[in-house]
Amino acid sequence: DREEEARKFASWHDGVYDKLKNITDQIPEEDKPKVLFNSHKAGYAYTAGGSRYGQAVRLAGGRNLIDDVIKSDDPLYGRTNVEVEPEWVIKSNPDYIISSYLDANSSAGFETDDVSGAQMTVDMILNTKELEQVDAIKDKNVYYIDNYLVGGGGLNLVGAAFLGKLWHPEEFKDIDPMEILREYMAFYDSGFYAEQDTGVFLYPFLK
């Protein structure tokens, strides 16, 4: 019944969350990359802590730079589109810029293997003239992540698994993000999605 399914899901969710948190709790703060996460629109609007996106960054072992200016008692805490000036981004110098923004005519996730939409988002950020001296741009550490994996209810731990694997491959060596995603989808569709091994979830793809 539904209550039993809800209990099973909660148990699974808490188990995965605890596994990821136990990994990243052991990572020294100075070893966590400085991150800016751009979610719903292009430009200089980034997600604050308290949002699902901010939670995913923290769980993955990243340090959200917006947390330096938006504290938990700030009215903007939990917002997904905190506007900042380009000069602040340059000064903060993120190691990674992550975006779940996607052009309205593009698709990602399970629906496609076509990376052109994700590539468009990545290129748009990489080609931002004002940020050309930022480490994330110079090192090409700009990634698209499917919004569903970081913004969906109960799903941001799946996004965290992908990001953690990107940022801390050694510590996350026993974590399989696609397997976690398939386990999640099995609660809703035991057929197509649970068996699928394709799609555009994090781009460029993990090596």
Side-chain angles (χ1 to χ4, degrees):
D1 61 13
R2 285 187 177 180
E3 284 189 11
E4 178 61 23
E5 284 300 308
R7 280 194 293 271
K8 287 181 180 177
F9 178 79
S11 176
W12 171 84
H13 182 281
D14 291 349
V16 174
Y17 176 89
D18 289 344
K19 184 184 293 186
L20 300 184
K21 189 172 186 300
N22 287 339
I23 292 172
T24 54
D25 278 352
Q26 304 304 313
I27 299 172
E29 201 67 20
E30 61 268 21
D31 292 340
K32 295 179 179 180
K34 297 181 297 180
V35 180
L36 284 175
F37 196 118
N38 163 259
S39 61
H40 295 312
K41 62 180 183 177
Y44 297 102
Y46 303 102
T47 60
S51 66
R52 289 173 177 170
Y53 306 92
Q55 292 164 359
V57 168
R58 179 181 293 274
L59 185 58
R63 186 160 72 83
N64 187 356
L65 286 169
I66 293 293
D67 289 347
D68 292 347
V69 290
I70 305 296
K71 307 298 183 183
S72 59
D73 59 350
D74 192 294
L76 293 177
Y77 188 73
R79 290 281 294 273
T80 59
N81 56 347
V82 177
E83 298 273 357
V84 297
E85 295 297 325
E87 292 76 16
W88 180 85
V89 177
I90 294 167
K91 182 180 178 182
S92 299
N93 196 24
D95 299 309
Y96 284 84
I97 297 176
I98 309 294
S99 181
S100 61
Y101 168 81
L102 198 64
D103 180 81
N105 296 316
S106 301
S107 59
F110 283 114
E111 290 81 11
T112 183
D113 283 328
D114 182 0
V115 302
S116 60
Q119 184 71 62
M120 190 185 309
T121 295
V122 169
D123 287 345
M124 177 179 63
I125 298 170
L126 284 174
N127 294 327
T128 305
K129 190 73 174 170
E130 292 169 305
L131 302 183
E132 61 184 4
Q133 293 305 312
V134 167
D135 283 350
I137 305 296
K138 291 194 294 184
D139 298 336
K140 292 186 165 46
N141 282 332
V142 175
Y143 285 79
Y144 167 82
I145 190 168
D146 182 26
N147 188 67
Y148 184 60
L149 301 190
V150 278
L155 252 174
N156 58 353
L157 57 78
V158 183
F162 277 92
L163 293 173
K165 194 89 170 177
L166 170 67
W167 296 333
H168 307 287
E170 182 59 30
E171 290 83 353
F172 275 71
K173 64 180 184 296
D174 296 327
I175 299 296
D176 182 348
M178 277 302 297
E179 181 60 28
I180 294 174
L181 177 56
R182 284 192 293 268
E183 288 174 1
Y184 174 90
M185 293 308 301
F187 283 100
Y188 299 96
D189 185 338
S190 59
F192 176 73
Y193 288 131
E195 296 299 323
Q196 197 171 350
D197 199 27
T198 58
V200 180
F201 302 104
L202 181 70
Y203 183 83
F205 298 122
L206 290 168
K207 294 175 182 176

